[in-house]
Amino acid sequence: MSKIEDLARANVRQLTPYQSARRLGGSGDVWLNANEYPLAVPFDLRQQTLNRYPECQPKAVIERYAAYAGLSPEQVLVSRGADEGIELLMRAFCEPGKDAVLFCPPTYGMYSVSAETLGVEYRTVPAQEGWQLNLSAIAEKLDGVKLVYVCSPNNPTGNLVKPEAIRQLLEMTRGKALVIADEAYIEFCPTATLTGWLKEYPHLVILRTLSKAFALAGLRCGFTLANAEVIALLLKVIAPYPLSTPVADIAAQALSEQGVALMKEHVGELLATRDKLISDLRDCRCVEKVFPSETNYVLARFTDSALVFKTLWDQGIILRDQNKQPGLAGCLRISVGTAEECDRVISALQKLSGASASMEQA
Ligand SMILES: *Cc1c(COP(=O)(O)O)cnc(C)c1O
């Protein structure tokens, strides 16, 4: 008799699941490790028809997101988070064991996790100076690649990828592969969106989410924006009822005129808090470098990141360790919380800096 585990697919046996902030645990009261919005926005549950199956693509949600993004409803797909969009693209376009996907670390972890789960090969081309695309190295690795994921602004580094480089990538891949621009954080730098390019590039796809600026990570609702032909293919592989009725109900409220206006107000406040956090971090002795950010998180390199991570963890302040990502030794990612939460980070860091300064003197 074989063990149940031996019955599983080989790639699943080897799989390391995505190390989500929730899985990593910790018992903090200041959660700055998942780029969530720090405060909950209240919603009503208005749809009471839970005896019925939901619509696959709830009309109100699709129409409101299309209006918000300046696109037509045929160009919008809604799914269980942007994470489901990442995977649906692979399921629709990649033949396991034959086709490949490509992305540029350090970047978001789900591109590799989805590829591994599906048994799809993934290739990486490390980002170059300033975490920009290494186009010549990408060109050399494109053979057999169907999907290129470009996260902009990039998680965890916080920078935008230069649009001219994405345009060159789109020219290079025309007729061969899709380019997926992951815009999970675009509300924090809205003018950088590539939605205006969809008319020029039939192979451009954009991922969006309600998890970050819209303060709805717990809702699990994301969007794929693309030309109608791409959306029609994704609709063939999506589950028949990807969103529950309460999710669609709340998403529609979040995307109402007032919902969008409230999100924009929150973004304005958060950006002010972020800029103060960045300047306060730059004054901390234990901080070696603070990277610029276009997002709701800040990446910083510390003189002793393990000590910082552990010390703050023990005080209930949970950050995200980025040490294992290529090129990010000594780096921690700090989500921008409330002003009070950011002040707690800074005062903990100042105490640490003070402690190490007095140790140096001793
Ligand atoms: C958070 C995040 C997502 C996932 O969004 P969900 O809608 O919560 O699944 C996708 N891409 C990036 C870069 C992210 O940071």
Side-chain angles (χ1 to χ4, degrees), residues 36-42 214-216 266 269-270 336-338 340-341:
E36 296 151 337
Y37 188 77
L39 300 169
V41 176
F214 280 92
L216 286 170
H266 287 163
E269 292 162 10
L270 189 131
V336 180
T338 62
E340 294 70 33
E341 288 172 328

Side-chain angles (χ1 to χ4, degrees), residues 81-83 86 108 111 151 155 182 184-185 209 211-212 220-222:
D83 283 349
I86 291 169
Y108 187 51
Y111 313 135
C151 189
N155 180 5
D182 187 337
Y185 299 95
T209 180
S211 297
K212 310 289 165 45
R220 310 308 303 127
C221 186

Side-chain angles (χ1 to χ4, degrees), residues 4 30 36-37 59 62 67 124 154 168 173 184 235 241 254 270 276-277 326 351:
I4 292 293
V30 180
E36 296 151 337
Y37 188 77
K59 198 162 181 284
I62 294 289
T124 57
N154 188 41
Q168 281 178 270
T173 50
L235 283 170
Y241 314 108
L270 189 131
K276 176 162 190 300
L277 174 66
K351 270 190 220 128

